[in-house]
Amino acid sequence: MSNEVLKPSMTKNDQKAKALIFLVSGIVFVAVVALKYLKLEVDLGFDVHLFAKANAIINGTVSVLLVLALVAVKKKNYTLHKTIMIWSMLLSILFLVSYIAYHLFTAETPYPADAPGRSVYLIILATHIVLAGLILPFILFSAYRGLIGEYAQHKKLAKITWPIWFYVTTSGVIVYLMISPFYG
């Protein structure tokens, strides 16, 4: 167990970091919005809903990792915390690739108007979408502050970022569980 404060992993350069974080966040936002209008009619040779299942598994895994990272930092095991958070971010990148693939190759599945739980589903889905759209730059800024060794700022930002990221990952799993019975 390593409870000593970690040395910075990156050199501080706020100007470049801000530009890169906003660029990446903007590109991701535009790509996700474009998926509403862009569909590819390609037979991939397998059920494209496997992407949705993969997304739920990845989201669930990230949820667990976020809890483990929180436990690690509370126990002052900063090395383990950093490792888990890096894995959380890498899995989130994998999620994004799978999410884009899923939405490129499949039409939206509507939740039937007469199905039980529709209002709950729509509330969870709406909050999930809005928060998922907003959280990325906060995740990246929080990671940046941690990697450059600005731990007080990292902690302050993570107190806001962590619960939202956790909600987005767990609500993603709930959305999948609620909509998957209606896949065609």
Side-chain angles (χ1 to χ4, degrees), residues 10-27 136-138 140-142 144-145 148 150 157:
M10 292 175 54
T11 304
K12 180 178 177 171
N13 188 332
D14 286 352
Q15 188 175 0
K16 283 186 182 177
K18 284 178 188 178
L20 186 59
I21 288 168
F22 286 128
L23 178 66
V24 168
S25 298
I27 290 170
L136 180 58
F138 293 96
L140 297 176
F141 274 114
S142 182
Y144 170 69
R145 293 289 171 220
I148 64 171
E150 289 184 353
L157 189 54

Side-chain angles (χ1 to χ4, degrees), residues 45-111:
F46 61 89
D47 181 4
V48 292
H49 294 297
L50 287 175
F51 285 121
K53 183 181 257 183
N55 293 343
I57 292 168
I58 294 167
N59 265 332
T61 302
V62 173
S63 294
V64 170
L65 289 176
L66 289 172
V67 171
L68 293 174
L70 181 63
V71 170
V73 80
K74 295 285 186 187
K75 291 184 175 184
K76 299 187 184 330
N77 190 339
Y78 302 119
T79 301
L80 181 59
H81 170 76
K82 178 181 176 182
T83 300
I84 293 170
M85 291 310 299
I86 288 171
W87 276 105
S88 297
M89 293 185 74
L90 290 172
L91 283 173
S92 293
I93 293 167
L94 180 62
F95 165 84
L96 180 62
V97 170
S98 179
Y99 177 89
I100 288 171
Y102 175 68
H103 286 280
L104 267 177
F105 297 116
T106 188
E108 284 187 39
T109 301
Y111 199 95

Side-chain angles (χ1 to χ4, degrees), residues 31-41 100 103-106:
V32 170
V33 169
L35 291 172
K36 181 84 172 153
Y37 308 100
L38 184 64
K39 298 290 178 221
L40 298 178
E41 298 293 327
I100 288 171
H103 286 280
L104 267 177
F105 297 116
T106 188

Side-chain angles (χ1 to χ4, degrees), residues 142-162:
S142 182
Y144 170 69
R145 293 289 171 220
L147 291 171
I148 64 171
E150 289 184 353
Y151 300 117
Q153 296 90 330
H154 169 75
K155 182 178 179 179
K156 184 178 179 181
L157 189 54
K159 283 184 177 187
I160 298 164
T161 304
W162 188 94

